[in-house]
Amino acid sequence: MNYMLARWGLLPVRDGGKLAQRLVAHHEPVFAYDRVERGVPRNQDREAQAEEYSEKKAHRLKNMTLCDSTQYVHYLSPTEGGRCHDKRLADEYALGLPTGSVLCQGLGLLGHAPAGVLMEMPHKKPPRGELTFAQLLYNRLLSLLRVVIEHAHRGIKRLRMVQDRVRLRGEWRRDTVMVVARGLHDLHIRAPSAPTRPINSTPKSNKVY
């Protein structure tokens, strides 16, 4: 499957340092960046349990993804366990984007700022305080840009092996499943017959492959 994705030019960039080369001629340098999670069964090995356990969502695997306004996913980070915080994961696999690009990301990546990139992040509600009307309006407008990556993640999870718990064992197999799911999603985005959808719309179908 990876051979076919490579033949069709659908393999994602896995090294964030090489991402700028892929995107230097991109027609619209506005990107959304976030993590996508999937569940895994509880591992019998205690060390593996500690790496995969997320205090909020039990045992998970994580990848960082970057997409453009068409929901095309250009970057997929290596797979890490749910214990790894989003910010630490983003720092460990640092991005390189063309100078002047705009990167929209959530508050879970607070402090993450690639060089030469304009960061767009929502305002965080202060302790015992309230956001101003201008800040609330900014957050609402920014959410229309950031929602595109949520749609992209939903497209990736059309593959049931990603939507449900990943029962395969082995880091290579689990990572390959994510690469294939991302490739099928991007193939759907690039297909001439794929319906166009505004980035602030709600997906109309829950169909899975």
Side-chain angles (χ1 to χ4, degrees):
M1 180 60 77
N2 281 355
Y3 168 77
M4 293 304 299
L5 293 177
R7 183 177 179 181
W8 296 334
L10 292 172
L11 279 180
V13 176
R14 306 303 305 275
D15 182 355
K18 299 179 180 179
L19 193 57
Q21 300 175 10
R22 166 79 69 91
L23 301 176
V24 66
H26 198 274
H27 65 284
E28 185 181 8
V30 179
F31 307 101
Y33 188 51
D34 205 352
R35 57 98 177 89
V36 58
E37 294 182 330
R38 10 173 206 154
V40 290
R42 180 180 178 183
N43 202 307
Q44 298 299 315
D45 182 75
R46 289 187 177 274
E47 292 186 3
Q49 284 183 25
E51 290 298 323
E52 296 172 359
Y53 180 71
S54 170
E55 295 181 0
K56 295 182 179 180
K57 297 182 179 179
H59 296 81
R60 318 287 289 179
L61 296 177
K62 288 183 177 182
N63 296 84
M64 300 300 296
T65 62
L66 180 136
C67 74
D68 58 26
S69 60
T70 67
Q71 302 178 27
Y72 188 90
V73 179
H74 294 275
Y75 170 72
L76 177 70
S77 77
T79 302
E80 292 288 347
R83 183 182 180 183
C84 187
H85 189 271
D86 297 353
K87 171 64 165 55
R88 183 160 66 91
L89 184 58
D91 289 342
E92 184 173 352
Y93 303 107
L95 293 179
L97 295 175
T99 302
S101 298
V102 178
L103 185 62
C104 304
Q105 58 185 21
L107 290 172
L109 294 171
L110 188 64
H112 173 256
V117 175
L118 176 62
M119 307 302 300
E120 296 286 356
M121 297 184 65
H123 293 286
K124 184 177 181 180
K125 183 178 178 181
R128 300 181 181 180
E130 298 292 337
L131 294 176
T132 65
F133 175 77
Q135 290 173 330
L136 290 173
L137 181 60
Y138 174 83
N139 286 357
R140 178 64 62 88
L141 294 174
L142 183 60
S143 67
L144 299 178
L145 297 176
R146 291 184 55 242
V147 73
V148 63
I149 200 164
E150 301 297 335
H151 293 324
H153 290 170
R154 185 63 189 90
I156 290 172
K157 290 185 178 181
R158 286 191 180 97
L159 186 66
R160 288 293 296 270
M161 293 179 71
V162 177
Q163 181 180 5
D164 299 336
R165 288 188 176 184
V166 182
R167 300 188 181 277
L168 292 175
R169 301 294 181 180
E171 295 181 1
W172 180 84
R173 291 186 180 90
R174 289 178 168 181
D175 187 69
T176 300
V177 165
M178 196 64 185
V179 173
V180 172
R182 174 266 174 197
L184 292 174
H185 165 72
D186 284 355
L187 178 62
H188 173 76
I189 295 298
R190 280 193 173 180
S193 60
T196 57
R197 185 169 62 233
I199 63 173
N200 60 345
S201 65
T202 302
K204 297 182 179 179
S205 173
N206 292 326
K207 182 179 179 181
V208 296
Y209 294 115

